Amino acid sequence: MSSTLESPSLITPSDDEASAPVRPLTVALAGNPNAGKTTLFNALTGLRQKVGNYPGVTVERKEGTWALAPHLPPARLIDLPGLYSLDAASIDEQIARDVITGRIPDLPAPDVIVAVVDATNFERNLYLVTQLLEYGRPLVVALTMIDLAEKRKIEIDEKALAEALGATAVPVVVTQHIGFDALAEAVLNASEASAKGAGWRLSEMAEQELAALCGNNGSSVDRRRALRELYAEELPEEAGRRDATERARERLSKSNPKWWQEPLLARYDWIEQVAAKAVRSKAAPGLTTTERIDRILTHKFIGPLILIVVMLLVFQTIFSWASLPMDLIDQGFGKLGEAVGNLLEPGLLRDLLVDGIIAGVGGVLVFLPQILLLFFFIAILEDTGYMARAAFLMDRLMRGVGLHGKAFMPLLSSFACAIPGIMATRTIENPKDRLATIMIAPFMSCSARLPVYTLMIGAFFSGKMIFGFLSIGALLIMAMYLLGIFVAIGVAWVLKRTILKAPTPPLVLEMPPYRVPNLLTILQMMLSRATLFMKRAGTVILAISIILWALATFPRMDKAAGPAADGAQAASEPAGGPAGAEPEGEVDTHGEQLRQSYAGRAGRFIEPAIKPLGFDWKMGVALISSFAARETLVSTLSIIYNVGDGGDSESDSLVGAVREAKRDDGAPAWTPLVALSMMVFFVLAMQCMSTVAIVRRETNSWRWPLFMIAYMTVLAYVASFITYQGGRLLGFS
Ligand SMILES: Nc1nc2c(ncn2[C@@H]2O[C@H](COP(=O)(O)OP(=O)(O)OP(=O)(O)O)[C@@H](O)[C@H]2O)c(=O)[nH]1
Ligand SMILES: [Mg+2]
């Protein structure tokens, strides 16, 4: 074990105020999952890390600065994943433990640890505190959820608590900024004092053995080390200590076969004593509000029904509320395109700006209102605690196929985006369970699919209702989400029985209490997601739009040569088609130009493969580009239909262009069945390079991401094939 832990080397102002530059303090926030660490971190640093009412939200170390006092450099404040004890098993817990214990190479061990303790869950939270105290770092306790504790008539006497713990305890109410100054002061004081250490003692015999292992001086540093070595799973490496420790263990086991449980029991005993001194609970017996609500929401039959109704309501609301702002943005981009078009001379530059950039980026930006609304609802469902109930409802189903219960939260995050979802699998201890979850996370319909679903529904299913109030669009979207979920469960079933066989441990899913959602948290989540979306539109989508426009515009067709008659022959011609076809109208020149462009050739190259799915070569172009990022389907179709018809289509909206698009034989390119087939393809295909990169990073190999691309694409193809061909057999077109 590293010895850096034991060498406090603080340079605080009191050391040498006049000359030495003052090193900023490093302060780490440690505590149980869902105790409110990130909420506190955000308030102290002004940053906006993700907060949510369920355990396991933070899975990385995050850093910010915290202005402790005006005359001092701000402290480095570190937010950590939650952990129940320092005996960390999963990756996120290991990250937290390594920071706390100073095992991260470039990061000094924290000068002060702020133990974040949920006042409503006092005794359980205190277990970690006992372990932190054992580490001998200066420690301050921040009591959170004081407002909730008060409501439940739990009173904590912070003076008595501080006395019992041997460390300052500060109640904080983040929403009202109460307790921040006191916390800063306590941290500064703690950094200058030496830590008191843990207050509990073992049995007489064990204490004697410890004293013997400590050697002559018996300092507290040596005692901690001896304690760790005596009760660790492995023996110390140093030969002398190894023998001594082994013999001590033998002696202890003779007098008490369960000798190794002693520290655990001693800690619990001590916690009980501390709680007896500091906590007064006047909680009335009987069910709490949370328990009463849960009786209904997690009911075997009513629970799932409510979940479905909630999902439907969310989608329906997203659609109806978003439609007006979306129309406005759409018209705005239409006007912008017209204005730019009128301003510039006809030519390549005008085409690039109007058909490439404005059509491409604008086509995607139109969906901003929907993204905002989606995250508004996700944030509300998360922050109230309802999402954890949804996890509970799905748990039986997931356990049935051998998925770890902890897989649910990562899968849930994947509905926003697979990237944070895959990162969140760090909470799963077993590597095989973790891999299985990573492999299915991209099936969850992420927000990038929403524009695709919306376009398809807007073109063919909008405004249709059943029973007079249920919109078909909302039903279809829910069906797409459910399709992703059920395919994921099926794939997990197969994976867990073949390449990722491993027993699934029982789940201890911790139900957070219901809380009134925090408006600020919700706004922050919407804002950060909207920023991400706009950034993507301004970078990835912009770049792809320009490339696509170029690929759809070059090689330029030699106007004099006229349009080509034969596609296959044209494809082999470098530029310009052979003459000899019947001359056609002006609009078709544009169409012909597109056909012969690089993009057109690529689309026609894959057309035979995608024809059985109902797609033509123009959709093929969009399909190819969407493998970089799903939303590009929308921007690519905008560009293609703009370039393809010279930008003078009857309707300027993409929905109109999709409805009007024709196949080469003049039949409508899109039908409701084609749209459905496209949606099914997008539910299942692995079309996101960022996800591939994250899977590569998290699994540390290329094997898994490549496997993921392959099997998901095959599944998507098969499902889309069945949808289209099956639909035709049933008589749909
Ligand atoms: N009522 C109340 N709610 C709080 C308080 N502090 C945090 N919360 C809520 O508690 C929930 C959990 O907060 P987080 O800050 O994400 O908890 P965390 O400790 O970072 O959790 P992990 O990252 O999962 O370890 C969120 O819903 C917060 O809005 C508080 O003082 N009072
Ligand atoms: Mg957190």
Side-chain angles (χ1 to χ4, degrees):
M1 197 138 307
S2 107
S3 58
T4 54
L5 293 175
E6 321 290 11
S7 52
S9 59
L10 296 185
I11 310 170
T12 51
S14 58
D15 283 3
D16 194 349
E17 242 165 15
S19 57
V22 184
R23 178 172 66 87
L25 291 178
T26 305
V27 180
L29 293 173
N32 284 185
N34 210 32
K37 297 176 295 298
T38 306
T39 311
L40 182 61
F41 175 85
N42 285 346
L44 295 176
T45 59
L47 294 177
R48 289 197 213 116
Q49 293 304 328
K50 180 157 165 52
V51 163
N53 189 12
Y54 57 85
V57 178
T58 310
V59 289
E60 283 179 297
R61 149 167 69 107
K62 296 280 177 182
E63 214 179 300
T65 54
W66 174 25
L68 282 170
H71 62 284
L72 291 176
R76 289 171 79 176
L77 187 63
I78 303 171
D79 184 25
L80 293 172
L83 71 181
Y84 294 106
S85 82
L86 288 181
D87 322 311
S90 57
I91 297 174
D92 61 326
E93 289 171 336
Q94 283 164 21
I95 292 172
R97 185 202 52 203
D98 291 350
V99 171
I100 294 166
T101 57
R103 287 189 222 172
I104 306 262
D106 299 327
L107 193 75
D111 299 310
V112 181
I113 295 172
V114 173
V116 177
V117 167
D118 173 354
T120 62
N121 243 325
F122 182 76
E123 295 192 19
R124 197 197 62 200
N125 276 233
L126 224 50
Y127 186 80
L128 177 70
V129 177
T130 64
Q131 288 194 322
L132 293 173
L133 284 169
E134 283 160 31
Y135 259 89
R137 284 273 146 208
L139 182 121
V140 172
V141 169
L143 285 167
T144 57
M145 316 283 175
I146 295 291
D147 49 335
L148 293 178
E150 265 170 20
K151 267 195 210 136
R152 292 199 212 157
K153 307 235 167 21
I154 303 171
E155 262 177 42
I156 298 182
D157 178 347
E158 68 252 23
K159 293 227 174 63
L161 177 61
E163 211 160 285
L165 283 178
T168 318
V170 183
V172 291
V173 183
V174 171
T175 41
Q176 293 160 41
H177 282 224
I178 293 176
F180 288 4
D181 292 341
L183 189 63
E185 197 186 315
V187 165
L188 282 174
N189 289 338
S191 72
E192 285 164 12
S194 63
K196 297 228 173 55
W200 51 270
R201 282 279 174 278
L202 301 171
S203 68
E204 202 54 42
M205 176 160 184
E207 285 294 339
Q208 275 170 15
E209 290 292 353
L210 276 182
L213 284 173
C214 287
N216 302 332
N217 60 7
S219 74
S220 63
V221 172
D222 285 343
R223 183 179 186 280
R224 281 199 294 272
R225 177 170 170 199
L227 185 71
R228 274 201 305 271
E229 288 177 352
L230 184 57
Y231 291 99
E233 266 178 36
E234 283 145 30
L235 285 167
E237 280 169 20
E238 217 178 295
R241 303 191 69 87
R242 196 183 174 90
D243 289 348
T245 309
E246 197 167 11
R247 269 179 278 124
R249 287 186 188 182
E250 273 164 19
R251 280 192 297 273
L252 284 172
S253 67
K254 268 188 207 133
S255 76
N256 176 9
K258 293 203 170 162
W259 63 277
W260 45 269
Q261 284 185 342
E262 249 192 62
L264 192 90
L265 299 176
R267 283 180 204 135
Y268 278 124
D269 264 356
W270 188 71
I271 290 172
E272 233 170 73
Q273 289 168 27
V274 172
K277 284 181 204 151
V279 184
R280 240 174 312 141
S281 172
K282 287 183 253 161
L287 294 180
T288 61
T289 318
T290 291
E291 284 164 339
R292 253 179 267 137
I293 301 176
D294 269 346
R295 283 198 156 177
I296 304 171
L297 293 190
T298 59
H299 186 275
K300 248 194 213 160
F301 304 113
I302 309 174
L305 271 182
I306 296 181
L307 180 60
I308 289 182
V309 172
V310 168
M311 275 175 78
L312 264 177
L313 266 179
V314 165
F315 293 130
Q316 194 144 338
T317 318
I318 290 178
F319 274 98
S320 56
W321 290 2
S323 72
L324 180 70
M326 281 176 69
D327 284 347
L328 292 178
I329 299 179
D330 197 17
Q331 285 166 16
F333 277 108
K335 295 248 157 63
L336 182 69
E338 253 171 55
V340 173
N342 292 337
L343 221 75
L344 296 174
E345 294 288 306
L348 275 183
L349 180 66
R350 189 178 86 168
D351 288 353
L352 169 66
L353 282 176
V354 178
D355 298 344
I357 295 175
I358 296 178
V361 176
V364 168
L365 276 182
V366 166
F367 293 91
L368 183 63
Q370 276 193 349
I371 301 287
L372 278 172
L373 278 170
L374 179 71
F375 283 101
F376 173 71
F377 288 112
I378 291 185
I380 289 189
L381 292 177
E382 263 184 18
D383 217 36
T384 49
Y386 184 69
M387 283 300 196
R389 273 70 194 183
F392 179 78
L393 290 173
M394 295 296 288
D395 182 47
R396 221 171 334 143
L397 192 63
M398 302 214 313
R399 200 136 18 128
V401 302
L403 263 183
H404 194 290
K406 273 195 187 169
F408 186 83
M409 285 305 167
L411 293 181
L412 201 72
S413 316
S414 305
F415 282 112
C417 170
I419 293 165
I422 286 166
M423 303 259 305
T425 60
R426 290 177 176 191
T427 56
I428 302 170
E429 293 116 42
N430 183 318
K432 286 186 177 168
D433 282 334
R434 178 162 178 251
L435 257 176
T437 312
I438 291 178
M439 283 297 123
I440 58 168
F443 283 126
M444 303 302 121
S445 281
C446 63
S447 57
R449 274 142 164 142
L450 201 59
V452 177
Y453 298 162
T454 308
L455 177 65
M456 297 294 110
I457 286 170
F460 298 105
F461 306 99
S462 78
K464 299 197 174 114
M465 296 274 178
I466 46 173
F467 307 131
F469 64 94
L470 250 182
S471 93
I472 295 211
L475 263 182
L476 264 179
I477 296 241
M478 195 177 75
M480 293 303 132
Y481 275 72
L482 291 178
L483 175 68
I485 294 172
F486 285 108
V487 170
I489 287 176
V491 169
W493 188 86
V494 173
L495 287 177
K496 287 285 301 186
R497 263 155 203 77
T498 52
I499 45 179
L500 295 174
K501 243 186 222 161
T504 306
L507 169 73
V508 202
L509 198 68
E510 190 195 345
M511 284 290 147
Y514 288 107
R515 297 201 176 107
V516 178
N518 183 339
L519 190 66
L520 202 67
T521 305
I522 292 172
L523 289 180
Q524 280 177 356
M525 172 140 168
M526 289 169 70
L527 195 73
S528 74
R529 279 288 151 182
T531 321
L532 263 181
F533 178 77
M534 308 268 279
K535 255 196 209 148
R536 256 173 93 86
T539 53
V540 181
I541 307 288
L542 176 67
I544 294 178
S545 294
I546 294 175
I547 294 172
L548 239 137
W549 171 83
L551 290 178
T553 307
F554 298 103
R556 299 298 281 172
M557 202 171 65
D558 183 358
K559 280 222 169 109
D566 178 295
Q569 197 183 345
S572 60
E573 297 282 321
E582 282 170 85
E584 282 175 86
E586 175 66 16
V587 172
D588 279 300
T589 322
H590 287 290
E592 205 49 51
Q593 164 66 44
L594 180 64
R595 265 178 89 83
Q596 291 201 36
S597 67
Y598 295 118
R601 291 176 198 189
R604 280 182 296 140
F605 178 73
I606 67 162
E607 190 173 35
I610 57 173
K611 217 170 181 172
L613 313 183
F615 309 152
D616 70 354
W617 62 268
K618 289 184 190 169
M619 298 175 206
V621 176
L623 216 53
I624 295 172
S625 81
S626 67
F627 270 80
R630 294 186 175 89
E631 313 90 305
T632 27
L633 178 94
V634 174
S635 52
T636 309
L637 286 179
S638 291
I639 294 169
I640 294 223
Y641 291 138
N642 255 328
V643 172
D645 66 11
D648 45 28
S649 136
E650 294 277 299
S651 109
D652 12 87
S653 81
L654 183 56
V655 166
V658 164
R659 285 193 195 131
E660 285 166 22
K662 297 275 185 291
R663 280 175 200 271
D664 289 349
D665 61 10
W670 294 86
T671 63
L673 188 59
V674 173
L676 197 64
S677 170
M678 186 63 92
M679 284 200 275
V680 168
F681 191 89
F682 269 73
V683 172
L684 303 178
M686 177 62 248
Q687 301 157 291
C688 177
M689 284 308 125
S690 321
T691 303
V692 173
I694 275 290
V695 174
R696 147 94 191 87
R697 198 185 79 187
E698 295 288 305
T699 62
N700 227 339
S701 84
W702 272 113
R703 209 169 48 151
W704 290 104
L706 290 177
F707 170 63
M708 185 184 235
I709 298 177
Y711 95 85
M712 288 185 68
T713 309
V714 170
L715 261 180
Y717 189 90
V718 172
S720 203
F721 182 89
I722 294 174
T723 307
Y724 185 67
Q725 299 299 340
R728 284 191 3 149
L729 280 181
L730 292 176
F732 298 101
S733 57

